Amino acid sequence: MLRLLAKVGLNGFFFCLIGVIFLAYYFPTIGLHESPWHLPQIAEYGVSIIFFFYGLKLSPQKLKSGLTNWKLHILIQTATFGLFPLLILSLQNLLGVDKTSLFWIGIFYLAVLPSTVSSSVVMVAIAKGNLPAAIFNASISSIIGIFITPLWMSGLLEQQDANFDLFPVILRLCFEVLLPVIVGYVLHSQLGKWAERYNHLLRLFDQTIILLIVYTSFCESFAGGMFEGQSMRDLSILGAEMLAFFFLVFGLLYLLSSWLGFSYEDRVTVLFCGSKKSLVQGAVMGKVLFPNPVALGVVLLPLMMYHALQLLAGSIIAQQWGSKH
């Protein structure tokens, strides 16, 4: 089980995420914008390098092999960018949640993010699902999210800030995220094998940049007193809500894929690609969508909880299903 959890993401990186939050609590001044260490600026440049390497590793052959099953692709992308936010909006209206709460904004933000890439593909492989379709959907989700996520967030953020302008946000994401992906994809034939050979080192670089983003965000939040008044009970309730939300989406996708008559392999792909949310994309786009670094740490907290719980619950389910098929 420990090897399985490490394979899908609950490894040293997961514990480092928890560690950097404690570091930010005890040493917040190091990660501030005015700090002489310039960690926020390093993280910004690192983001573009992450997505350049991501483009390098995108194989045209693997993407083409997953193109044919259009019903599967439509269901996964609709779940990722439609079902998630609509469920959250319905629950918000039903429960009468305060829309100005940063925790609420963070929950809605995770709902409109793209799916993960690596953990989705790994879980589909463990559960013996449709691997080419999983690679295609996980990859294309990251690109679609550059446009869909800001569109979903624009209405909410305009209520918070009358000066919010969607066009500069999308333009910046295209420059910092989409352009590096395209450049990397174009260079895949020349450098793709090099990227695969050093994939472990590139993954360490990715994780380091994400840790920097999380650390600097929480430094600003702790320094600004954003978590004052929040108890462990509040955080435990938030975690329970994130776990319940994961199983709600997972159950609905199971019913939909069964109703549409999908094969076992396609159903597995729908469940594990359609129920995941990307911490990488969330941290990257969060720096653009939430220019106030003091608020960003609070906004990212629901996503970090959901990220950990989706890996834990998903890996257990994938292992059980895979052992039966």
Side-chain angles (χ1 to χ4, degrees):
M1 178 57 72
L2 288 175
R3 286 197 298 269
L4 171 64
L5 293 176
K7 195 173 183 181
V8 299
L10 281 175
N11 48 21
F13 173 66
F14 168 71
F15 295 106
C16 284
L17 275 174
I18 298 174
V20 297
I21 295 175
F22 281 102
L23 280 176
Y25 179 77
Y26 288 108
F27 306 102
T29 56
I30 298 175
L32 300 180
H33 269 269
E34 56 269 24
S35 167
W37 293 86
H38 302 294
L39 295 183
Q41 292 82 355
I42 294 171
E44 285 187 21
Y45 289 115
V47 163
S48 296
I49 300 173
I50 284 177
F51 282 94
F52 169 72
F53 289 143
Y54 173 69
L56 274 184
K57 291 182 283 187
L58 276 179
S59 168
Q61 291 77 23
K62 290 181 179 178
L63 289 177
K64 287 176 184 177
S65 66
L67 276 172
T68 53
N69 198 341
W70 59 270
K71 286 184 180 179
L72 177 68
H73 307 326
I74 289 175
L75 179 55
I76 291 174
Q77 300 307 321
T78 301
T80 302
F81 296 110
L83 178 63
F84 262 93
L86 290 176
L87 280 174
I88 288 295
L89 287 173
S90 300
L91 290 171
Q92 188 274 331
N93 290 327
L94 182 66
L95 300 174
V97 178
D98 180 12
K99 288 185 179 181
T100 62
S101 162
L102 283 175
F103 279 132
W104 149 248
I105 294 172
I107 292 171
F108 185 75
Y109 178 54
L110 86 84
V112 299
L113 284 169
S115 177
T116 61
V117 177
S118 57
S119 64
S120 294
V121 172
V122 169
M123 287 187 192
V124 168
I126 291 171
K128 300 178 182 176
N130 187 337
L131 197 56
I135 293 170
F136 173 82
N137 278 283
S139 301
I140 205 69
S141 176
S142 296
I143 297 171
I144 294 174
I146 296 171
F147 304 98
I148 299 296
T149 299
L151 282 173
W152 266 114
M153 291 302 298
S154 62
L156 184 63
L157 294 178
E158 282 170 358
Q159 295 176 15
Q160 310 295 321
D161 182 3
N163 296 320
F164 178 80
D165 191 352
L166 179 62
F167 179 73
V169 170
I170 293 181
L171 189 64
R172 184 176 169 187
L173 287 172
C174 286
F175 183 75
E176 293 184 6
V177 177
L178 184 60
L179 181 60
V181 170
I182 292 172
V183 173
Y185 184 75
V186 170
L187 294 175
H188 174 81
S189 58
Q190 288 82 25
L191 299 174
K193 290 183 179 179
W194 175 87
E196 288 298 326
R197 187 181 310 130
Y198 294 102
N199 185 55
H200 178 66
L201 291 176
L202 297 182
R203 186 172 178 80
L204 286 177
F205 175 80
D206 294 354
Q207 292 173 342
T208 301
I209 296 301
I210 298 306
L211 288 173
L212 268 181
I213 292 174
V214 171
Y215 173 67
T216 54
S217 301
F218 275 85
C219 282
E220 297 283 357
S221 296
F222 284 128
M226 293 301 293
F227 288 103
E228 291 179 1
Q230 300 295 333
S231 65
M232 284 303 298
R233 178 179 176 274
D234 296 329
L235 298 179
S236 299
I237 291 172
L238 179 62
E241 290 171 346
M242 294 300 95
L243 185 61
F245 187 49
F246 169 80
F247 280 114
L248 174 61
V249 173
F250 200 88
L252 287 173
L253 289 177
Y254 184 88
L255 293 174
L256 281 171
S257 57
S258 300
W259 179 66
L260 290 170
F262 284 179
S263 65
Y264 169 79
E265 290 78 10
D266 286 353
R267 195 181 313 138
V268 165
T269 306
V270 168
L271 290 169
F272 288 105
C273 289
S275 62
K276 300 288 184 300
K277 290 295 177 178
S278 173
L279 176 62
V280 175
Q281 290 277 61
V284 169
M285 286 198 272
K287 288 184 70 65
V288 179
L289 287 167
F290 303 98
N292 180 1
V294 176
L296 182 57
V298 183
V299 171
L300 287 179
L301 189 60
L303 173 60
M304 292 177 64
M305 286 188 171
Y306 187 90
H307 171 79
L309 293 168
Q310 74 182 3
L311 293 179
L312 182 60
S315 62
I316 294 171
I317 296 169
Q319 180 68 20
Q320 290 178 340
W321 288 10
S323 64
K324 295 177 182 178
H325 292 83

